[in-house]
Amino acid sequence: MKRVLHIAFLLLMSVNAFSADIKELFLNMPNELTPLLSRSAKLDFFDYIEIGMEAKTANNLQGKSEMLFVADDMLSVQMTPASKFDMKLFYSKDSSAVIAIIETVCGEKCDSYMRFYNDKWEELDATDLIELPVLEDYLSKRALKDDQIKDKLGEFIYRFYTIVAKPGENGLQIKITTSEMMDEEVNSRAFEKDVIVYRWNGKRFVLSKK
């Protein structure tokens, strides 16, 4: 019985230590990455969550920001009604952390931007970690040969993508939202899929075969 309790205690301590890692990384990240939040506002998030309250606090725009959740490897903050900040940890084979910062802004459609850092908050070259999809990766073979569809797609100069990470999962989903702005008939003819899934292999993100 004592042995079981000892193992349970060690597991609890390891989970708490891991949770503290993401908390400390968030609190100590460079101010320019979260200009809307002071350190005291960030601390408030965790205090509120600890006592089971809604984790809302004032931001530097005199509005409210809300921590939506915090997990061992990820946290998410609704910075403003139209913008969200996600921080996700991926671990390399040497156990060092790669931090993915995903910022999503929603207007007519949502669009995401992603950057990567090490645990010292030095920015990493994203091209070393992931080959982001292009429009053609979502299209059907038929669309790639159809000039009418190509012309229609050419009307959309800017492409909108949302990047989704989930706590406890070792990957990313990149969804093209440009398709939602197109005529339904053209959309159904043009796009073979609207989401591309990547998995983290300890060195970089690779396309999932699933």
Side-chain angles (χ1 to χ4, degrees), residues 65 70 76 111 126 142 162-163 186 197 199:
S65 296
V70 58
S76 183
D111 194 35
R142 173 186 175 184
T162 55
I163 303 172
V186 175
V197 179
R199 63 176 178 82

Side-chain angles (χ1 to χ4, degrees), residues 34-130:
T34 51
L36 289 185
L37 299 175
S38 65
R39 182 180 175 85
S40 62
K42 293 178 182 179
L43 284 166
D44 285 344
F45 285 146
F46 296 105
D47 289 342
Y48 291 139
I49 286 175
E50 188 174 340
I51 61 176
M53 290 181 61
E54 192 175 46
K56 283 187 178 181
T57 189
N59 60 43
N60 293 331
L61 285 180
Q62 308 306 312
K64 291 285 187 179
S65 296
E66 179 182 6
M67 181 171 279
L68 303 175
F69 67 82
V70 58
D72 291 343
D73 61 345
M74 185 176 176
L75 58 79
S76 183
V77 178
Q78 190 73 43
M79 288 291 191
T80 70
S83 63
K84 188 160 72 79
F85 173 96
D86 294 326
M87 174 176 158
K88 177 79 163 79
L89 304 184
F90 296 94
Y91 286 89
S92 299
K93 293 184 177 179
D94 63 1
S95 297
S96 61
V98 172
I99 307 166
I101 298 297
I102 305 167
E103 295 177 89
T104 302
V105 177
C106 295
E108 183 180 356
K109 293 297 173 186
C110 294
D111 194 35
S112 297
Y113 177 72
M114 180 167 58
R115 288 170 288 180
F116 297 98
Y117 299 85
N118 61 22
D119 58 9
K120 297 180 178 61
W121 288 109
E122 299 166 331
E123 188 165 5
L124 305 174
D125 187 344
T127 59
D128 291 336
L129 300 174
I130 189 169

